[in-house]
Amino acid sequence: MLKIVLATKNIGKIVEFERLLGQVSNSIQVLGLNEFPDMPEVAESGTTLSENARLKAQAIANFTKLPALADDSGLFIDALNGDPGVFSARWANYQGESSKERDLANIKKVLIQLENTPVSDRSASFKAVVAYCDSRNYAQVIEKEELGVLKGEVLLEPVGDGGFGYDPIFKPTGFDKSLAQLPAGVKDEISHRGIAVRAILPFIKSHL
Ligand code: IMP
């Protein structure tokens, strides 16, 4: 059984990754970062999803001595010039511990910013970069990254209670429901994270 450490404590993401990896291999055991309480916080100091994903994967692979998979993702809204983008998780600057409250605060801020933006001009994309790093052999560090994009639009108000983050206000192109209303399996098929994970898996499998 190969152990891979996921560079996140976000339960919503861990659940999605477990499902996605489980679809392609039953010989991968996913460990969340919560299983490594001594792991120092990795500052997401990059200015792009790619930089942040790589920073996290490298730091965790080095610390845990296990292969690590990190993603950095965000919602890029055209009418806001790509905001909240890499700052999606901390957009409303919520300081508490509750991820649900944080999601609500972020959604509220985005909806206020788009208050005067008509339905026809609310296009947006979710993007995810997934980075893999295996530094078990220091002489030959293995790294790879893939990007996934999901296009859609920002709704006028939140709908649905599935998923996490901005799911209740995002309607994927070609669907008449928000991401929070779609069954998890459907989200996996179309999501930015699903696309990126499926793209990187053949590489991971061939380097185990
Ligand atoms: P990070 O990748 O941990 O920096 O956080 C990205 C943030 O973007 C999350 O906390 C969410 O707010 C948002 N986000 C990323 N992917 C999704 C998604 O699939 N659904 C809803 N929100 C997402």
Side-chain angles (χ1 to χ4, degrees), residues 7-8 10 13 16 44 49 52 56 71-75 85-90 102-103 106 126-128 163-168 170 179 187 191-193:
T8 184
N10 178 329
K13 272 196 197 174
E16 282 195 12
E44 293 190 19
L49 299 180
N52 282 334
K56 287 188 275 188
D71 92 319
D72 201 41
S73 51
L75 177 63
V86 285
F87 305 110
S88 292
R90 357 165 205 161
R102 189 192 58 199
D103 290 345
N106 286 338
F126 269 122
K127 295 183 188 174
F164 71 99
Y166 299 92
D167 280 351
F170 187 87
L179 271 185
K187 181 178 175 189
S191 84
H192 45 309
R193 198 166 298 102

Tab-separated table of all heavy atoms in Angstrom, residues 7-8 10 13 16 44 49 52 56 71-75 85-90 102-103 106 126-128 163-168 170 179 187 191-193, ligand 1:
chain	number	residue	atom	x	y	z
A	7	ALA	N	-1.452	17.610	1.110
A	7	ALA	CA	-1.020	18.845	1.775
A	7	ALA	C	-2.207	19.715	2.160
A	7	ALA	O	-2.284	20.874	1.754
A	7	ALA	CB	-0.095	19.609	0.840
A	8	THR	N	-3.097	19.172	2.931
A	8	THR	CA	-4.223	19.990	3.375
A	8	THR	C	-4.841	19.417	4.640
A	8	THR	O	-4.757	18.215	4.892
A	8	THR	CB	-5.305	20.098	2.276
A	8	THR	OG1	-6.336	20.968	2.730
A	8	THR	CG2	-5.909	18.752	1.930
A	10	ASN	N	-7.967	20.667	5.102
A	10	ASN	CA	-9.338	20.998	4.692
A	10	ASN	C	-10.108	19.701	4.417
A	10	ASN	O	-9.838	18.983	3.447
A	10	ASN	CB	-9.244	21.873	3.425
A	10	ASN	CG	-10.591	22.260	2.865
A	10	ASN	OD1	-11.564	21.509	2.988
A	10	ASN	ND2	-10.649	23.418	2.245
A	13	LYS	N	-11.616	19.100	1.018
A	13	LYS	CA	-10.652	18.703	-0.008
A	13	LYS	C	-10.177	17.273	0.189
A	13	LYS	O	-10.019	16.522	-0.779
A	13	LYS	CB	-9.431	19.623	0.058
A	13	LYS	CG	-9.546	20.874	-0.754
A	13	LYS	CD	-8.152	21.429	-0.885
A	13	LYS	CE	-8.158	22.862	-1.303
A	13	LYS	NZ	-6.793	23.396	-1.271
A	16	GLU	N	-12.642	14.921	-1.183
A	16	GLU	CA	-12.629	14.892	-2.653
A	16	GLU	C	-11.423	14.122	-3.181
A	16	GLU	O	-11.540	13.311	-4.103
A	16	GLU	CB	-12.607	16.316	-3.210
A	16	GLU	CG	-13.968	16.970	-3.164
A	16	GLU	CD	-14.050	18.220	-4.027
A	16	GLU	OE1	-13.143	18.473	-4.851
A	16	GLU	OE2	-15.026	18.930	-3.869
A	44	GLU	N	1.929	30.105	2.206
A	44	GLU	CA	1.586	30.126	0.778
A	44	GLU	C	2.040	31.469	0.225
A	44	GLU	O	1.254	32.354	-0.056
A	44	GLU	CB	0.082	29.907	0.598
A	44	GLU	CG	-0.332	28.514	1.023
A	44	GLU	CD	-1.758	28.148	0.643
A	44	GLU	OE1	-2.329	28.795	-0.258
A	44	GLU	OE2	-2.289	27.216	1.246
A	49	LEU	N	-0.909	29.846	-8.400
A	49	LEU	CA	-1.344	28.542	-7.883
A	49	LEU	C	-0.197	27.539	-7.982
A	49	LEU	O	0.042	26.752	-7.060
A	49	LEU	CB	-2.541	28.027	-8.678
A	49	LEU	CG	-3.828	28.856	-8.668
A	49	LEU	CD1	-4.895	28.176	-9.523
A	49	LEU	CD2	-4.339	29.049	-7.242
A	52	ASN	N	2.501	28.013	-5.259
A	52	ASN	CA	2.016	27.586	-3.943
A	52	ASN	C	1.891	26.065	-3.849
A	52	ASN	O	2.244	25.464	-2.837
A	52	ASN	CB	0.667	28.236	-3.624
A	52	ASN	CG	0.830	29.680	-3.187
A	52	ASN	OD1	1.878	30.060	-2.668
A	52	ASN	ND2	-0.193	30.488	-3.390
A	56	LYS	N	4.147	23.706	-1.233
A	56	LYS	CA	3.531	22.817	-0.242
A	56	LYS	C	3.983	21.374	-0.450
A	56	LYS	O	4.337	20.680	0.505
A	56	LYS	CB	1.995	22.918	-0.310
A	56	LYS	CG	1.452	24.211	0.270
A	56	LYS	CD	-0.063	24.205	0.366
A	56	LYS	CE	-0.722	24.632	-0.923
A	56	LYS	NZ	-2.179	24.814	-0.815
A	71	ASP	N	-2.471	20.674	-3.603
A	71	ASP	CA	-3.142	21.463	-4.624
A	71	ASP	C	-3.278	22.893	-4.125
A	71	ASP	O	-3.293	23.155	-2.934
A	71	ASP	CB	-4.513	20.877	-5.002
A	71	ASP	CG	-5.661	21.455	-4.196
A	71	ASP	OD1	-5.488	21.638	-2.983
A	71	ASP	OD2	-6.716	21.719	-4.784
A	72	ASP	N	-3.286	23.795	-5.066
A	72	ASP	CA	-3.654	25.152	-4.726
A	72	ASP	C	-4.735	25.514	-5.726
A	72	ASP	O	-4.607	25.245	-6.925
A	72	ASP	CB	-2.466	26.099	-4.813
A	72	ASP	CG	-2.728	27.346	-3.988
A	72	ASP	OD1	-3.274	27.245	-2.876
A	72	ASP	OD2	-2.411	28.451	-4.468
A	73	SER	N	-5.805	26.060	-5.209
A	73	SER	CA	-6.946	26.280	-6.087
A	73	SER	C	-7.613	27.593	-5.746
A	73	SER	O	-7.358	28.175	-4.688
A	73	SER	CB	-7.944	25.133	-5.918
A	73	SER	OG	-8.240	24.924	-4.546
A	74	GLY	N	-8.458	28.042	-6.628
A	74	GLY	CA	-9.159	29.285	-6.340
A	74	GLY	C	-10.182	29.600	-7.399
A	74	GLY	O	-10.261	28.947	-8.447
A	75	LEU	N	-10.979	30.608	-7.076
A	75	LEU	CA	-12.039	31.068	-7.969
A	75	LEU	C	-11.577	32.371	-8.630
A	75	LEU	O	-11.208	33.324	-7.926
A	75	LEU	CB	-13.310	31.317	-7.144
A	75	LEU	CG	-14.512	31.879	-7.897
A	75	LEU	CD1	-14.988	30.905	-8.971
A	75	LEU	CD2	-15.660	32.178	-6.922
A	85	GLY	N	-8.978	34.671	-6.848
A	85	GLY	CA	-7.784	33.964	-7.335
A	85	GLY	C	-7.013	33.229	-6.262
A	85	GLY	O	-7.594	32.457	-5.490
A	86	VAL	N	-5.699	33.487	-6.189
A	86	VAL	CA	-4.872	32.757	-5.211
A	86	VAL	C	-5.250	33.098	-3.770
A	86	VAL	O	-4.855	32.397	-2.847
A	86	VAL	CB	-3.341	33.016	-5.373
A	86	VAL	CG1	-2.780	32.284	-6.546
A	86	VAL	CG2	-3.014	34.476	-5.409
A	87	PHE	N	-6.015	34.170	-3.590
A	87	PHE	CA	-6.413	34.554	-2.221
A	87	PHE	C	-7.796	34.022	-1.845
A	87	PHE	O	-8.378	34.455	-0.841
A	87	PHE	CB	-6.400	36.087	-2.076
A	87	PHE	CG	-5.083	36.700	-2.460
A	87	PHE	CD1	-4.963	37.459	-3.611
A	87	PHE	CD2	-3.955	36.481	-1.685
A	87	PHE	CE1	-3.741	37.991	-3.980
A	87	PHE	CE2	-2.726	37.016	-2.045
A	87	PHE	CZ	-2.616	37.771	-3.206
A	88	SER	N	-8.339	33.101	-2.625
A	88	SER	CA	-9.722	32.643	-2.426
A	88	SER	C	-10.012	32.180	-1.005
A	88	SER	O	-11.056	32.500	-0.444
A	88	SER	CB	-10.048	31.502	-3.396
A	88	SER	OG	-10.074	31.995	-4.711
A	89	ALA	N	-9.094	31.441	-0.403
A	89	ALA	CA	-9.360	30.865	0.926
A	89	ALA	C	-9.474	31.957	1.989
A	89	ALA	O	-10.246	31.846	2.928
A	89	ALA	CB	-8.259	29.870	1.303
A	90	ARG	N	-8.683	33.036	1.830
A	90	ARG	CA	-8.657	34.072	2.892
A	90	ARG	C	-9.256	35.377	2.405
A	90	ARG	O	-8.902	36.448	2.874
A	90	ARG	CB	-7.218	34.321	3.363
A	90	ARG	CG	-6.252	33.406	2.694
A	90	ARG	CD	-4.807	33.693	2.739
A	90	ARG	NE	-4.218	33.034	1.576
A	90	ARG	CZ	-3.058	33.310	1.059
A	90	ARG	NH1	-2.302	34.219	1.580
A	90	ARG	NH2	-2.624	32.672	-0.009
A	102	ARG	N	-16.036	30.660	7.556
A	102	ARG	CA	-15.096	31.284	6.617
A	102	ARG	C	-15.662	31.271	5.197
A	102	ARG	O	-15.634	32.276	4.485
A	102	ARG	CB	-13.750	30.549	6.649
A	102	ARG	CG	-12.679	31.277	5.856
A	102	ARG	CD	-11.465	30.420	5.657
A	102	ARG	NE	-11.822	29.194	4.967
A	102	ARG	CZ	-11.090	28.093	4.956
A	102	ARG	NH1	-9.983	28.042	5.639
A	102	ARG	NH2	-11.479	27.027	4.283
A	103	ASP	N	-16.236	30.117	4.807
A	103	ASP	CA	-16.846	30.022	3.479
A	103	ASP	C	-17.970	31.044	3.325
A	103	ASP	O	-18.083	31.710	2.289
A	103	ASP	CB	-17.416	28.611	3.244
A	103	ASP	CG	-16.312	27.565	3.088
A	103	ASP	OD1	-15.150	27.951	2.876
A	103	ASP	OD2	-16.626	26.365	3.184
A	106	ASN	N	-16.543	34.542	2.891
A	106	ASN	CA	-15.962	34.719	1.549
A	106	ASN	C	-17.058	34.903	0.496
A	106	ASN	O	-16.973	35.777	-0.378
A	106	ASN	CB	-15.108	33.504	1.185
A	106	ASN	CG	-13.788	33.467	1.932
A	106	ASN	OD1	-13.313	34.509	2.405
A	106	ASN	ND2	-13.196	32.298	2.057
A	126	PHE	N	-13.050	28.163	-11.870
A	126	PHE	CA	-12.291	27.544	-10.791
A	126	PHE	C	-11.037	26.961	-11.435
A	126	PHE	O	-11.110	26.328	-12.503
A	126	PHE	CB	-13.069	26.392	-10.158
A	126	PHE	CG	-13.919	26.782	-8.996
A	126	PHE	CD1	-15.282	26.558	-9.006
A	126	PHE	CD2	-13.348	27.369	-7.871
A	126	PHE	CE1	-16.071	26.904	-7.922
A	126	PHE	CE2	-14.130	27.717	-6.773
A	126	PHE	CZ	-15.493	27.490	-6.802
A	127	LYS	N	-9.906	27.178	-10.784
A	127	LYS	CA	-8.666	26.569	-11.287
A	127	LYS	C	-7.992	25.822	-10.142
A	127	LYS	O	-8.046	26.267	-8.987
A	127	LYS	CB	-7.692	27.636	-11.794
A	127	LYS	CG	-8.211	28.385	-13.002
A	127	LYS	CD	-7.180	29.368	-13.507
A	127	LYS	CE	-7.809	30.238	-14.589
A	127	LYS	NZ	-6.944	31.306	-15.027
A	128	ALA	N	-7.366	24.713	-10.478
A	128	ALA	CA	-6.597	23.958	-9.478
A	128	ALA	C	-5.289	23.508	-10.105
A	128	ALA	O	-5.274	23.006	-11.234
A	128	ALA	CB	-7.379	22.728	-9.009
A	163	GLY	N	-20.826	20.158	-1.017
A	163	GLY	CA	-19.505	20.691	-1.350
A	163	GLY	C	-18.912	21.576	-0.279
A	163	GLY	O	-19.167	21.409	0.907
A	164	PHE	N	-18.117	22.540	-0.701
A	164	PHE	CA	-17.466	23.448	0.245
A	164	PHE	C	-17.119	24.738	-0.491
A	164	PHE	O	-17.363	24.876	-1.686
A	164	PHE	CB	-16.204	22.803	0.847
A	164	PHE	CG	-15.057	22.685	-0.128
A	164	PHE	CD1	-14.020	23.612	-0.134
A	164	PHE	CD2	-15.024	21.663	-1.062
A	164	PHE	CE1	-12.965	23.511	-1.037
A	164	PHE	CE2	-13.981	21.550	-1.976
A	164	PHE	CZ	-12.946	22.477	-1.961
A	165	GLY	N	-16.536	25.666	0.251
A	165	GLY	CA	-16.054	26.908	-0.357
A	165	GLY	C	-17.135	27.672	-1.096
A	165	GLY	O	-18.235	27.884	-0.578
A	166	TYR	N	-16.817	28.052	-2.321
A	166	TYR	CA	-17.721	28.874	-3.123
A	166	TYR	C	-18.736	28.037	-3.917
A	166	TYR	O	-19.440	28.567	-4.779
A	166	TYR	CB	-16.923	29.742	-4.103
A	166	TYR	CG	-15.959	30.710	-3.435
A	166	TYR	CD1	-14.637	30.362	-3.183
A	166	TYR	CD2	-16.371	31.992	-3.061
A	166	TYR	CE1	-13.748	31.249	-2.572
A	166	TYR	CE2	-15.493	32.887	-2.457
A	166	TYR	CZ	-14.191	32.500	-2.213
A	166	TYR	OH	-13.320	33.391	-1.611
A	167	ASP	N	-18.811	26.741	-3.665
A	167	ASP	CA	-19.712	25.863	-4.429
A	167	ASP	C	-21.143	26.400	-4.551
A	167	ASP	O	-21.734	26.329	-5.636
A	167	ASP	CB	-19.760	24.452	-3.814
A	167	ASP	CG	-18.565	23.609	-4.226
A	167	ASP	OD1	-17.808	24.033	-5.105
A	167	ASP	OD2	-18.385	22.519	-3.644
A	168	PRO	N	-21.736	26.957	-3.451
A	168	PRO	CA	-23.149	27.381	-3.564
A	168	PRO	C	-23.388	28.553	-4.516
A	168	PRO	O	-24.526	28.778	-4.918
A	168	PRO	CB	-23.509	27.793	-2.121
A	168	PRO	CG	-22.499	27.121	-1.254
A	168	PRO	CD	-21.243	27.049	-2.067
A	170	PHE	N	-21.523	28.991	-7.441
A	170	PHE	CA	-20.896	28.737	-8.749
A	170	PHE	C	-21.724	27.755	-9.571
A	170	PHE	O	-21.991	26.633	-9.144
A	170	PHE	CB	-19.485	28.172	-8.556
A	170	PHE	CG	-18.709	28.037	-9.833
A	170	PHE	CD1	-17.963	29.106	-10.326
A	170	PHE	CD2	-18.715	26.851	-10.550
A	170	PHE	CE1	-17.241	28.994	-11.509
A	170	PHE	CE2	-18.001	26.721	-11.732
A	170	PHE	CZ	-17.258	27.795	-12.212
A	179	LEU	N	-22.728	24.142	-8.010
A	179	LEU	CA	-21.865	23.001	-7.656
A	179	LEU	C	-22.316	22.364	-6.354
A	179	LEU	O	-22.155	21.160	-6.149
A	179	LEU	CB	-20.411	23.467	-7.488
A	179	LEU	CG	-19.498	23.478	-8.707
A	179	LEU	CD1	-18.090	23.857	-8.286
A	179	LEU	CD2	-19.494	22.126	-9.424
A	187	LYS	N	-19.641	16.338	-9.509
A	187	LYS	CA	-18.616	17.381	-9.301
A	187	LYS	C	-17.224	16.818	-9.612
A	187	LYS	O	-16.416	17.463	-10.266
A	187	LYS	CB	-18.666	17.937	-7.865
A	187	LYS	CG	-17.614	19.029	-7.667
A	187	LYS	CD	-17.585	19.705	-6.315
A	187	LYS	CE	-16.391	20.672	-6.259
A	187	LYS	NZ	-16.125	21.235	-4.949
A	191	SER	N	-14.931	18.766	-12.165
A	191	SER	CA	-14.252	19.826	-11.404
A	191	SER	C	-12.793	20.024	-11.819
A	191	SER	O	-12.120	19.118	-12.309
A	191	SER	CB	-14.316	19.555	-9.903
A	191	SER	OG	-13.281	18.684	-9.514
A	192	HIS	N	-12.341	21.247	-11.591
A	192	HIS	CA	-10.939	21.631	-11.791
A	192	HIS	C	-10.002	20.650	-11.085
A	192	HIS	O	-9.015	20.210	-11.636
A	192	HIS	CB	-10.735	23.061	-11.272
A	192	HIS	CG	-11.358	23.328	-9.928
A	192	HIS	ND1	-12.673	23.032	-9.648
A	192	HIS	CD2	-10.843	23.817	-8.767
A	192	HIS	CE1	-12.929	23.345	-8.387
A	192	HIS	NE2	-11.842	23.824	-7.833
A	193	ARG	N	-10.351	20.272	-9.836
A	193	ARG	CA	-9.501	19.357	-9.072
A	193	ARG	C	-9.533	17.963	-9.680
A	193	ARG	O	-8.512	17.295	-9.800
A	193	ARG	CB	-9.962	19.323	-7.605
A	193	ARG	CG	-8.935	18.783	-6.643
A	193	ARG	CD	-9.294	19.078	-5.192
A	193	ARG	NE	-9.346	20.506	-4.940
A	193	ARG	CZ	-10.477	21.219	-4.859
A	193	ARG	NH1	-11.644	20.635	-4.959
A	193	ARG	NH2	-10.423	22.515	-4.676
B	1	IMP	P1	-6.379	26.656	-1.083
B	1	IMP	O1	-6.230	25.867	-2.343
B	1	IMP	O2	-6.311	25.808	0.130
B	1	IMP	O3	-5.508	27.868	-1.045
B	1	IMP	O4	-7.867	27.213	-1.012
B	1	IMP	C1	-8.572	27.490	-2.136
B	1	IMP	C2	-9.903	28.102	-1.778
B	1	IMP	O5	-10.581	28.284	-3.022
B	1	IMP	C3	-10.812	27.226	-0.932
B	1	IMP	O6	-10.701	27.480	0.438
B	1	IMP	C4	-12.183	27.635	-1.450
B	1	IMP	O7	-12.591	28.826	-0.832
B	1	IMP	C5	-11.915	27.899	-2.910
B	1	IMP	N1	-12.115	26.669	-3.699
B	1	IMP	C6	-11.174	25.884	-4.284
B	1	IMP	N2	-11.733	24.822	-4.877
B	1	IMP	C7	-13.053	24.926	-4.643
B	1	IMP	C8	-14.159	24.091	-4.987
B	1	IMP	O8	-14.048	23.016	-5.595
B	1	IMP	N3	-15.346	24.533	-4.583
B	1	IMP	C9	-15.530	25.688	-3.896
B	1	IMP	N4	-14.536	26.474	-3.521
B	1	IMP	C10	-13.283	26.098	-3.894
